[in-house]
Amino acid sequence: MIRIAIPNKGRLHDPTVELLKEAGLPVLEGGTRKLFAKTTDPDITILFARASDIPEYVQDGAADVGVTGLDLINETGAQVEMLLDMGFGRANLVLAVPEESPFKAPQSLEGKRIATEFPNITSRYFKNLSINVEIIKVSGACELTPHVGVADAIVDISSSGTTLATNHLKMIDKVFTSSVYLIANKKTSANNSKVEQISTSIESVLRAKGKRYLMMNVPESALEAVKQVLPGLAGPTVMKVEASNSILAVHAVIDADLIFATVNKLKAVGAKDILVVPIERLMP
């Protein structure tokens, strides 16, 4: 039995559940108030946990696989197998000060107080810069601390900068860049093929995002021109069309944002009956 720990709430919960569904492991009868849920695979169950707890759950074997932020993995120092960058939840840990503050750079904060939910990452950051600060650990509402006299600056998560602006804060440096990772217990990942299947299934969905499958009929005389147009992953697949001596079927995978320009170029060099199909999975 494999147990996957996923965030029970917050900004990482819904994208994680959706990605598992696309990978063929929909969460059945799950909810934020439940601790466990089943999947369509009888050997795989879901454990709902706080994102900040997941690195240590996976390290200690309470879960075999987990989904959580790189910032939380780094903060806890958990010894886990890093399987896959899942491509969402991208955000930065930033060093920020009040807009009216005289502090312009990290060096100007020598001897000052820094409030954060990430004391370990923050401590390493300032140590690497040889700056002495007092780190104050908070569990929430970090952005308010400079305005109530608790701290002179903060280190906090920022994905768009909106929260900083709303709270009249400005970034003076980027501390750490994070995204969501699929992680595994080191012993489990070394001995269990099911973990590899989970990772491969999720990776196949991620590889398919932003890709489209092109199918078309091409006169044999236009094949080389069509090949020059197609920016495929490994060149197009070419097949003879039954009952035709001069028409070929050409298939290729291309980036979705190239579809408009590519289709027009293909038509111009002689391709016809062009079909564009979304891709659910693209196996590595």
Side-chain angles (χ1 to χ4, degrees):
M1 179 68 71
I2 293 294
R3 184 176 291 169
I4 305 175
I6 71 171
N8 60 352
K9 59 182 179 180
R11 66 188 181 92
L12 304 185
H13 174 79
D14 289 345
T16 299
V17 171
E18 181 61 28
L19 187 52
L20 288 174
K21 180 180 178 181
E22 292 174 352
L25 287 173
V27 179
L28 305 178
E29 301 177 358
T32 57
R33 294 182 180 274
K34 290 191 174 184
L35 183 59
F36 296 104
K38 296 179 180 179
T39 70
T40 49
D41 188 316
D43 295 325
I44 299 175
T45 60
I46 301 296
L47 166 64
F48 295 105
R50 293 196 310 169
S52 57
D53 292 334
I54 290 175
E56 290 178 321
Y57 279 15
V58 173
Q59 171 188 266
D60 298 340
D64 304 290
V65 177
V67 176
T68 191
L70 182 61
D71 53 338
L72 299 172
I73 300 166
N74 195 277
E75 174 65 23
T76 60
Q79 298 301 303
V80 295
E81 192 73 28
M82 306 293 287
L83 295 179
L84 185 65
D85 184 343
M86 297 177 72
F88 66 90
R90 297 195 184 281
N92 294 313
L93 268 178
V94 301
L95 175 62
V97 297
E99 292 174 343
E100 70 280 4
S101 169
F103 307 122
K104 306 296 184 183
Q107 289 74 15
S108 61
L109 291 168
E110 176 73 31
K112 302 302 180 182
R113 299 163 299 166
I114 314 298
T116 184
E117 293 184 59
F118 301 88
N120 293 325
I121 293 177
T122 302
S123 177
R124 288 193 292 270
Y125 165 78
F126 281 104
K127 185 176 180 180
N128 288 337
L129 294 176
S130 299
I131 301 170
N132 295 310
V133 297
E134 179 186 352
I135 296 176
I136 300 170
K137 188 180 188 306
V138 296
S139 57
C142 184
E143 64 276 1
L144 298 180
T145 57
H147 299 299
V148 295
V150 173
D152 302 291
I154 68 169
V155 170
D156 202 12
I157 282 284
S158 176
S159 54
S160 66
T162 302
T163 300
L164 293 180
T166 300
N167 289 279
H168 304 289
L169 298 169
K170 61 182 179 182
M171 182 184 81
I172 60 173
D173 200 14
K174 186 184 297 183
V175 174
F176 189 85
T177 298
S178 182
S179 61
V180 173
Y181 268 74
L182 182 71
I183 60 176
N185 177 273
K186 289 195 170 185
K187 290 183 179 178
T188 304
S189 64
N191 302 304
N192 197 302
S193 61
K194 188 69 83 171
V195 172
E196 183 179 355
Q197 292 171 19
I198 293 168
S199 179
T200 299
S201 294
I202 292 174
E203 184 179 6
S204 70
V205 172
L206 296 175
R207 283 167 58 90
K209 288 184 181 296
K211 302 291 184 183
R212 296 293 183 269
Y213 194 64
L214 273 182
M215 296 181 284
M216 69 205 77
N217 290 329
V218 176
E220 195 165 0
S221 59
L223 179 60
E224 290 306 316
V226 165
K227 285 183 177 181
Q228 293 300 315
V229 171
L230 288 173
L233 293 180
T237 300
V238 181
M239 298 165 284
K240 285 280 188 181
V241 175
E242 190 174 349
S244 174
N245 294 324
S246 60
I247 298 297
L248 303 171
V250 178
H251 296 189
V253 176
I254 72 169
D255 292 333
D257 56 6
L258 298 177
I259 286 292
F260 180 80
T262 301
V263 167
N264 285 302
K265 289 178 182 178
L266 289 170
K267 290 170 66 177
V269 298
K272 56 184 180 179
D273 305 324
I274 300 172
L275 184 63
V276 182
V277 181
I279 303 174
E280 290 188 4
R281 298 192 193 183
L282 191 59
M283 302 302 288

